[in-house]
């Protein structure tokens, strides 16, 4: 659902006007209020598409290191861009390695499946930097934290996304509100879903 409604999903599948169609939203088996803590920094360096990313990445690296040291255990950091992921990784790796963390980065230290396997089997402090491919289809029980770098909006250069937005515009719709924002909301939920995988998990 998006906004507690199935409209976006049903439209994408072309069945929104199907007679007799019924939908049901089932409650999660997890107690998120008890098992998870959600934190959004209110004084963070603003990301600027038109300016330099350097200050943002420096602040990001400092924030990641602070959370890693505070929370400990196995942690996953999800990035919207590989360039920022690698820049932040290089800034925190040496400090955290000295503090007893195994700091790993997608592509630089192995493939998605290899790194996910290391976290699943590993014991101790791990910090894994990954891109959007880690947002779904990856099951790593026992994560203590999932850090999401920024709202996961879809890439602007995707021709399929652009064509769908044009089609919505021609029908009199609003491409951002009707398509891009729901996709981002679903991606954000997928990213959050890496944290709590069973009733025993607790994390930030």
């Amino acid at each position: 659902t998006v906004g507690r409604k199935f409209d976006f999903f049903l439209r994408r599948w072309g069945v929104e006007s199907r007679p007799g169609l019924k939908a049901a939203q089932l409650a999660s088996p997890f107690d998120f209020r008890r098992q998870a803590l959600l934190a959004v920094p209110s004084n963070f360096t603003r990301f600027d598409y038109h300016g330099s990313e350097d200050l943002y990445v420096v602040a990001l690296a400092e924030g990641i290191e602070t959370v890693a040291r505070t929370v400990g255990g196995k942690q996953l950091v999800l990035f919207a861009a590989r360039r920022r992921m690698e820049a932040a990784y290089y800034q925190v790796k040496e400090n955290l390695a000295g503090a007893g963390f195994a700091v790993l980065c997608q592509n630089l230290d192995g493939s998605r499946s290899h790194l996910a396997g290391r976290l699943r089997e590993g014991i101790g402090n791990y910090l894994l930097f990954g891109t959007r491919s880690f947002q779904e289809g990856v099951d790593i029980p026992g994560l203590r934290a999932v850090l999401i770098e920024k709202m996961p909006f879809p890439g602007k250069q995707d021709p399929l996304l652009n064509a769908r937005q044009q089609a919505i515009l021609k029908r009199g719709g609003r491409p951002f509100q009707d398509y891009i924002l729901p996709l981002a909301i679903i991606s954000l939920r997928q990213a959050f879903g890496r944290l709590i995988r069973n009733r025993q998990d607790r994390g930030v």
Side-chain angles (χ1 to χ4, degrees), residues 49-76:
Y49 278 105
H50 306 293
S52 170
E53 292 182 346
D54 294 347
L55 291 176
Y56 175 73
V57 172
V58 168
L60 195 60
E62 289 175 359
I64 291 168
E65 187 171 338
T66 299
V67 172
R69 290 174 181 271
T70 303
V71 176
K74 300 176 185 180
Q75 302 176 45
L76 175 64

Side-chain angles (χ1 to χ4, degrees), residues 108-122:
L108 298 179
D109 294 310
S111 66
R112 182 182 89 148
S113 59
H114 169 74
L115 295 176
R118 282 193 63 180
L119 249 69
R120 269 193 297 271
E121 297 161 13

